[in-house]
Amino acid sequence: MSAGGTYDLAVIGTGIVGATAVGLATLRHPGASVVAVCAGAVHDGSTVRSLAVDIPAGRTEEQRALARRSLELRAELAALAPALNARTRRAYWVLPAGGAAGVDGQLVGDALAPCRSEQEARLRAVFGGPVGGAGTELRRSAEATFTEPADAVEQLLRPLTSGSPADGPRRDLAEGFAVRAVEPCADGYRLIAEDGGELTARRVLAAPGAAALTGPFAATAKRFGARTKKIVAYRLRGGEPGGHRPLLVLDEPDAFLLPVGDGRDWCYSITSTDWDCPPERTRLAPNPADRALAEAILAEQLPGFRPEFTGCRTGADLYLPDFAPLITPLDGLDGVVLATGGAGSGFRLAPAMAEGALALLGLD
Ligand SMILES: Cc1cc2nc3c(=O)[nH]c(=O)nc-3n(C[C@H](O)[C@H](O)[C@H](O)COP(=O)(O)OP(=O)(O)OC[C@H]3O[C@@H](n4cnc5c(N)ncnc54)[C@H](O)[C@@H]3O)c2cc1C
């Protein structure tokens, strides 16, 4: 690939962070030559496993600012990627009694409202009994949005895959280009792949997801205290069927149920306690402790809901100690910026993460 000259920007990683960086860079800098590379196939990272739910919120002011900015950027990106946030569901919350004020402080541009009796009755019908265990209360928020992640990634990468006009800048996508090393060179940086392939770029944005703890990104990620963690989302079948089924957030156990289609299928995300897992999703699977946790939460919070477990989506994500994303130059390489650390929220924070990394590269 080096035969064609030096790209203005190379993006490592075609998950939602890398794909969003490609989308933003090509929208804002139409004359820039851009290449994206990924270690395997385009959808080999955690993004394709994501439930891609976006409830704009954050524990800290920094996280809320990223959530707010991501909302604004989605409007800019919608022209390129209409799949982003294309679907909505009403959202209900099961909270410890008195917990609503705490959640209100975390939500961006929204506040929880009391649940009316007919809404609660509707929920009880969906889940075949009480919604929330002892000492909990029910609230509702604005509609939650969610995305089909593979569609969004493909649309964001379209500037690289739709073919460059004869007089336009070079745009390329290289699958199976697993970057082993990034070295400074006369034109900027040389990316060297495991199989010996090479390309050069003036600037590099690395969005390797949980693989940031390997290869050329590892020293920087480790210095910031990054760790990997497994995320598990079960597929369930049960309850009352229909398109009226809501997103249900179980706040205290940090879990949620997302309806799939109009039948009786759900995705059920729980917070696994499996830290320091391998980054490759093909090496990850739920363990008996994950399943026991998933069943215990349902038994306590939705005792009338006895779904069948029909499948599972499992992936790894990168977590910083403060759960904020990591956006920083690689140690010793100012023109190479690392953008990772989704911490289970990387889909919804990807626009602000990508914009922050591009700004560090002078491409804002
Ligand atoms: C089951 C599950 C449910 C989730 N639900 C939600 C949710 O509802 N909302 C939300 O916001 N987030 C959610 N997340 C988290 C979110 O999916 C992640 O934070 C996000 O997808 C991470 O995206 P990424 O681009 O950083 O990494 P990835 O999607 O993992 O992409 C990494 C990319 O980097 C490439 N790469 C890595 N190393 C190299 C290398 N050396 N050379 C070349 N390429 C390399 C890979 O090939 C890949 O293309 C969920 C995650 C899981 C697993």
Side-chain angles (χ1 to χ4, degrees):
M1 298 199 69
S2 54
T6 299
Y7 293 94
D8 294 315
L9 173 68
V11 174
I12 303 174
T14 54
I16 192 62
V17 178
T20 305
V22 166
L24 277 177
T26 52
L27 278 172
R28 293 178 176 179
H29 302 277
S33 55
V34 178
V35 62
V37 305
C38 46
V42 164
H43 297 304
D44 66 349
S46 290
T47 293
V48 78
R49 317 299 288 172
S50 181
L51 303 191
V53 171
D54 182 10
I55 299 177
R59 288 194 180 92
T60 63
E61 186 44 52
E62 185 194 352
Q63 290 171 7
R64 288 191 285 281
L66 288 172
R68 202 173 293 120
R69 184 63 188 144
S70 290
L71 270 183
E72 293 164 0
L73 288 169
R74 280 216 187 78
E76 185 177 340
L77 289 163
L80 184 60
L84 281 172
N85 287 7
R87 303 181 195 177
T88 59
R89 287 279 181 173
R90 255 173 295 169
Y92 289 90
W93 298 63
V94 174
L95 303 161
V103 174
D104 282 349
Q106 296 181 10
L107 290 174
V108 171
D110 192 18
L112 296 177
C115 198
R116 293 195 300 273
S117 56
E118 69 273 17
Q119 292 169 328
E120 188 165 348
R122 182 74 255 166
L123 281 184
R124 289 173 73 95
V126 167
F127 293 109
V131 178
T136 63
E137 61 186 28
L138 205 49
R139 288 280 191 275
R140 65 191 164 87
S141 63
E143 288 203 323
T145 56
F146 62 104
T147 301
E148 176 47 58
D151 290 350
V153 164
E154 281 164 27
Q155 291 171 0
L156 289 162
L157 292 176
R158 210 164 271 159
L160 308 187
T161 56
S162 57
S164 318
D167 54 349
R170 279 176 75 208
R171 301 280 170 83
D172 290 306
L173 174 67
E175 294 180 289
F177 193 106
V179 178
R180 169 174 66 75
V182 182
E183 295 175 351
C185 64
D187 289 347
Y189 300 92
R190 180 175 296 112
L191 271 52
I192 305 168
E194 297 284 358
D195 66 1
E198 291 189 7
L199 64 83
T200 57
R202 276 175 263 284
R203 306 168 189 82
V204 180
L205 190 157
L213 283 170
T214 64
F217 328 106
T220 307
K222 282 180 187 159
R223 192 166 60 74
F224 281 89
R227 294 175 71 187
T228 54
K229 185 167 180 286
K230 191 172 75 178
I231 306 180
V232 176
Y234 288 100
R235 184 85 175 214
L236 309 180
R237 182 164 300 147
E240 186 186 80
H244 56 276
R245 298 172 305 149
L247 172 87
L248 184 69
V249 180
L250 304 170
D251 192 57
E252 181 82 350
D254 203 6
F256 63 84
L257 282 149
L258 174 71
V260 180
D262 291 347
R264 302 172 68 227
D265 291 328
W266 301 83
C267 280
Y268 171 37
S269 170
I270 61 154
T271 301
S272 169
T273 52
D274 231 348
W275 286 90
D276 305 316
C277 60
E280 304 89 353
R281 60 185 167 83
T282 48
R283 292 175 58 199
L284 294 171
N287 60 30
D290 296 324
R291 178 65 179 260
L293 175 66
E295 291 181 355
I297 293 171
L298 290 184
E300 189 185 321
Q301 308 265 344
L302 300 168
F305 183 54
R306 304 255 162 68
E308 181 191 350
F309 283 65
T310 57
C312 192
R313 296 158 82 143
T314 312
D317 210 354
L318 198 80
Y319 288 69
L320 273 287
D322 61 358
F323 283 37
L326 177 59
I327 303 164
T328 186
L330 272 198
D331 292 352
L333 300 175
D334 284 348
V336 184
V337 168
L338 182 60
T340 180
S345 300
F347 198 93
R348 65 187 181 82
L349 298 182
M353 291 168 69
E355 184 185 53
L358 289 171
L360 285 182
L361 292 168
L363 289 172
D364 41 356

